[in-house]
Amino acid sequence: MPINNRAVLIVSGGMDSCVLAHYYAAAGFHLHLLSFDYGQKHVKELDYAERYIADLRARYSQLEIVHDTIDLPIAQLLTNSDSALINPERQMPHGHYTDDSMKATVVPYRNPNMLLQAATVAWNEHASVVAYAAHQGDYSQYPDCREEFVDAFNNLLAVAMEGQTIKVESPFMRFTKAQIARLGSNLHVPFEHTWSCYEGGSSGLDDRHCGICGTCVERYEAFKEAGVPDPTVYANDPEQYLHIPGRADA
Ligand SMILES: [Zn+2]
């Protein structure tokens, strides 16, 4: 049980993070939202975080909602990583996610790095909760999106410092992305102010999602499965990529 109603949330520009912020705001938590510039190619997502957070503030004006973007030198440290998210030489996987193509988007230790920053902020502000938006679809290839990791990280926090109890939560861990879309729809989340595309920032696309990369296809599929209207403007129709298995190198 939380000991107060103050939470630090890790948020990207994506729909899961946006739903997470609404979920805690709807529960009455004052929020310190943290976004991270870790050298991701789709840094454009951070502009979208600003957009939905402005909307969130207007909607929950009774709550304190602070947002900061923190630079993390993850890409600078991972000079030998072949992750398509941070290595300019690597192509973003296209088509529906497979284990292999999703693996190509793993950034080693990304969540533990972010969570430790968030826990430090939580300590500073006496917040009782730190949360992030891992979901069931992340489970197979992202080790730091699993329950074992959250349990281990909570154990780490408990032994790393004494005097305050800070709990890491990941409330959507057992949700499919479609279930997150459904929850977001119930919470009236402004999905049009969220950004998923890993090709974000590529020339010629402007404010359109590519519709081809694994995360675009995953986003499209989630709205479709949930029966929630998808406000995303796609440069290519993701429907035709739903049944094309992604490859790590294409
Ligand atoms: Zn895309």
Side-chain angles (χ1 to χ4, degrees):
M1 281 292 288
I3 54 171
N4 66 25
N5 64 338
R6 196 165 282 279
V8 179
L9 310 185
I10 295 172
V11 295
S12 68
M15 56 188 278
D16 308 339
S17 293
C18 181
V19 175
L20 185 80
H22 278 257
Y23 176 81
Y24 280 92
F29 280 82
H30 299 291
L31 302 177
H32 196 147
L33 307 171
L34 297 181
S35 300
F36 293 91
D37 182 344
Y38 57 90
Q40 68 271 50
K41 293 181 201 165
H42 61 297
V43 69
K44 179 188 190 75
E45 63 164 343
L46 299 183
D47 297 339
Y48 281 77
E50 303 262 3
R51 291 190 200 182
Y52 74 69
I53 291 166
D55 181 273
L56 185 74
R57 275 203 195 96
R59 204 173 304 188
Y60 292 94
S61 55
Q62 76 279 19
L63 300 175
E64 282 174 44
I65 300 177
V66 176
H67 178 223
D68 286 316
T69 298
I70 294 176
D71 288 332
L72 271 184
I74 295 181
Q76 289 97 304
L77 298 174
L78 289 170
T79 50
N80 296 319
S81 168
D82 56 6
S83 172
L85 257 58
I86 55 176
N87 185 335
E89 310 284 308
R90 298 288 293 190
Q91 258 205 319
M92 207 61 73
H94 290 167
H96 196 283
Y97 271 141
T98 59
D99 285 355
D100 273 353
S101 68
M102 184 178 268
K103 202 172 215 153
T105 66
V106 171
V107 178
Y109 303 124
R110 180 175 53 177
N111 287 340
N113 265 293
M114 293 178 180
L115 284 166
L116 207 46
Q117 307 285 318
T120 308
V121 171
W123 177 273
N124 187 54
E125 298 176 358
H126 298 276
S128 59
V129 169
V130 165
Y132 71 119
H135 69 89
Q136 200 188 82
D138 297 327
Y139 184 90
S140 73
Q141 297 306 317
Y142 299 138
D144 55 6
C145 290
R146 295 176 189 158
E147 287 179 13
E148 300 94 293
F149 167 72
V150 173
D151 291 345
F153 202 87
N154 273 314
N155 290 335
L156 171 72
L157 290 184
V159 297
M161 189 59 197
E162 295 172 340
Q164 285 184 44
T165 302
I166 296 167
K167 183 165 183 283
V168 173
E169 297 179 346
S170 190
F172 305 155
M173 188 74 89
R174 296 187 182 194
F175 285 26
T176 63
K177 203 172 179 80
Q179 287 173 312
I180 294 175
R182 165 59 50 199
L183 173 63
S185 173
N186 291 341
L187 292 169
H188 307 291
V189 161
F191 286 120
E192 68 276 20
H193 297 319
T194 64
W195 185 270
S196 297
C197 182
Y198 282 159
E199 298 279 16
S202 298
S203 61
L205 287 175
D206 300 321
D207 283 335
R208 294 175 300 169
H209 281 59
C210 78
I212 299 173
C213 75
T215 190
C216 271
V217 175
E218 185 187 40
R219 176 183 174 105
Y220 172 82
E221 186 176 40
F223 281 118
K224 186 176 175 179
E225 272 182 28
V228 170
D230 182 355
T232 316
V233 180
Y234 298 101
N236 300 279
D237 183 2
E239 179 70 31
Q240 60 187 314
Y241 294 93
L242 269 182
H243 305 292
I244 298 177
R247 296 202 343 250
D249 58 350

